[in-house]
Amino acid sequence: MGRKNDKISNAVIKRLPRYRRYLIELDRKGVEKISSKELSELIGYTASQIRQDFNNFGGFGQQGYGYSVKGLYDEISAILGLDKAYKMVMLGAGNLGQAITKYLASHKEGFQLSAIFEVSPELIGTELEGLTIRDYDDIVDYIEQEGIDIGIICVGSSNAQAAADKLCFAGVRGIWNFSTVEIEVPVHVAVENVQLTDSLHTLAYHMNDYSKQEAAAKESAAKKEVIEGRGKSKKK
């Protein structure tokens, strides 16, 4: 189904993968259809929010029927571009690069890591998850020859922009950036900056917020208990 609105907010786009995760589990359980209310109870968004999100792309449900689980899963997969395969290269085979490589080896789903590149002589020529680590100087030729779609940056912050520039020059269409700096790319190249520290700080905020709420609730309960105690004393 064609998009209803081409200016989709990033918040909506970030919710789509979560919808997709729940739908694939429902499909595995043999669930054939689901209403926005039922999906709301599972995922935590309001039914109104869910319908609004889907209406950005033209809507997928039928009144009185709800949504086809398999059909909705396929539609969201197509919107996210997951109905096709992508070839990727990794820049950096340090601890983070190794962790991402191992993750991708077990969660491929249309994303194929074709090669890993390094500048360290100690790592070049060694193997990681069945791939021989290549010399970084050869990356442009490799990307052009193999038609690589995505470059993954797992290098230090001081080298991240130079790595991004080389990837863009070689012709990648997207960059998954795990460095600690946000990189600049041409308008025709998509970039996703993954700031792991930001995620950890967000977790800390929510933990702190929950603690404050809990403390406030306990204080309120204590005050209520004191007031009720005073009331009982007056009656006596």
Side-chain angles (χ1 to χ4, degrees), residues 22-187:
Y22 276 82
L23 289 166
I24 195 170
E25 288 302 320
L26 289 169
D27 185 55
R28 285 170 179 167
K29 293 176 181 177
V31 179
E32 295 183 358
K33 65 177 181 177
I34 192 167
S35 67
S36 56
K37 181 177 181 296
E38 292 169 329
L39 192 54
S40 169
E41 292 169 355
L42 284 173
I43 202 168
Y45 305 145
T46 66
S48 175
Q49 179 70 76
I50 291 170
R51 291 193 296 270
Q52 184 177 338
D53 285 350
F54 294 162
N55 284 339
N56 280 294
F57 304 94
F60 309 112
Q62 298 177 17
Q63 193 166 2
Y65 177 84
Y67 302 101
S68 161
V69 169
K70 181 64 167 61
L72 185 55
Y73 172 83
D74 290 342
E75 291 279 7
I76 291 176
S77 295
I79 290 168
L80 290 170
L82 299 178
D83 55 344
K84 61 192 71 160
Y86 299 91
K87 296 175 72 174
M88 306 185 296
V89 294
M90 171 81 70
L91 280 69
N95 291 334
L96 180 57
Q98 291 175 29
I100 300 300
T101 298
K102 290 176 181 178
Y103 170 80
L104 291 171
S106 59
H107 297 80
K108 293 179 180 178
E109 198 183 16
F111 296 90
Q112 177 193 351
L113 183 59
S114 301
I116 305 167
F117 292 87
E118 249 292 344
V119 296
S120 173
E122 293 80 10
L123 293 174
I124 295 171
T126 62
E127 284 201 1
L128 179 59
E129 294 297 323
L131 295 173
T132 300
I133 298 176
R134 298 168 179 263
D135 191 325
Y136 177 67
D137 288 340
D138 300 329
I139 193 169
V140 172
D141 288 341
Y142 183 88
I143 289 174
E144 291 176 345
Q145 292 169 7
E146 298 297 325
I148 300 299
D149 303 293
I150 298 171
I152 307 170
I153 295 179
C154 289
V155 301
S157 58
S158 60
N159 298 314
Q161 186 60 56
D165 292 343
K166 183 161 283 194
L167 287 169
C168 294
F169 174 78
V172 301
R173 296 185 294 117
I175 295 177
W176 202 16
N177 175 34
F178 283 88
S179 75
T180 56
V181 295
E182 294 192 2
I183 56 175
E184 295 182 3
V185 298
V187 293

Side-chain angles (χ1 to χ4, degrees), residues 211-229:
S211 296
K212 288 179 180 178
Q213 291 180 33
E214 186 178 11
K218 286 180 179 179
E219 184 179 353
S220 177
K223 287 181 179 178
K224 183 179 179 182
E225 187 175 339
V226 170
I227 292 171
E228 290 177 348

